Amino acid sequence: MATVRAVTKEGEFIAKDSDRDPVVAAKRAVEKIESRIIRNLKKLEDKNNKKDKAEKA
């Protein structure tokens, strides 16, 4: 069982995974967090782009 926790300015991300091999479990948990952070950053970019377009109009 592996639990990974990452804290950024944008929030706290936690992922858990289990496998017979602890290295594999940790790798999968980190990959989950990575995808969540990327998804969160894309949402922020989209929000900022919409805000910029609204201000220009």
Side-chain angles (χ1 to χ4, degrees), residues 5-39:
R5 179 177 174 246
V7 179
T8 68
K9 287 191 268 182
E10 303 306 325
E12 183 177 3
F13 302 89
I14 300 171
K16 294 181 182 180
D17 203 305
S18 60
D19 194 274
R20 290 179 187 248
D21 185 4
V23 174
V24 173
K27 181 179 181 229
R28 278 195 253 167
V30 169
E31 288 171 347
K32 286 179 186 178
I33 287 185
E34 180 184 25
S35 67
R36 289 179 190 164
I37 291 172
I38 290 170
R39 191 175 345 130

